[in-house]
Amino acid sequence: MRDPLIEAALEVRRNAHAPFSHFQVGAAIEDADGRIHTGCNVENSTYGLTLCAERLAVFKAISEGARQFRRIVVAADTETLTPPCGACRQILWEFAADIEVVLVNLTGKTETHRIKDLLPRAFDASFL
Ligand code: THU
């Protein structure tokens, strides 16, 4: 069955700006109102300023006023499904400690995880 969040992640992946790694990633996050916010990776010639698809999707959503999230889909063209990097896990934890993380590839293979399992013993504002 067609999942609009998966479709959105696959679609935005095509906009990836990845001239250095040639590794294209798309992400789509659904907020508590059912709105979908998308992001792709945007690389930079300094490398370190590269933004991952997941973080861009989260930051776009935050800037649109969303504060609660249900699910994020991460789309990449790998047989072993591509998980969010450590930095993106921290950002996801910060804004959505209970979020479902769905990984998908171009063949439609999926896997679902919880961010608390991907980032055990996370540091957050509760320690401050
Ligand atoms: N990348 C993402 O956008 N998300 C991930 O989950 C893994 C890595 C990007 C960063 C960089 O542009 C390229 O993929 C290779 O690391």
Side-chain angles (χ1 to χ4, degrees), residues 38-110:
T38 59
C40 60
N41 54 327
V42 181
E43 298 187 344
N44 185 269
S45 55
T46 63
Y47 294 10
L49 291 177
T50 291
L51 250 185
C52 291
E54 297 91 322
R55 263 176 291 165
L56 195 52
V58 170
F59 292 158
K60 280 175 65 188
I62 294 292
S63 73
E64 294 298 320
R67 286 295 181 273
Q68 291 190 316
F69 303 100
R70 295 178 183 150
R71 275 194 310 157
I72 184 166
V73 175
V74 182
D77 184 16
T78 54
E79 172 54 27
T80 299
L81 298 174
T82 298
C85 78
C88 289
R89 293 179 198 205
Q90 179 68 30
I91 295 295
L92 286 168
W93 175 264
E94 192 103 356
F95 289 110
D98 197 31
I99 198 167
E100 207 169 83
V101 180
V102 180
L103 314 179
V104 66
N105 69 11
L106 302 194
T107 70
K109 177 180 166 190
T110 64

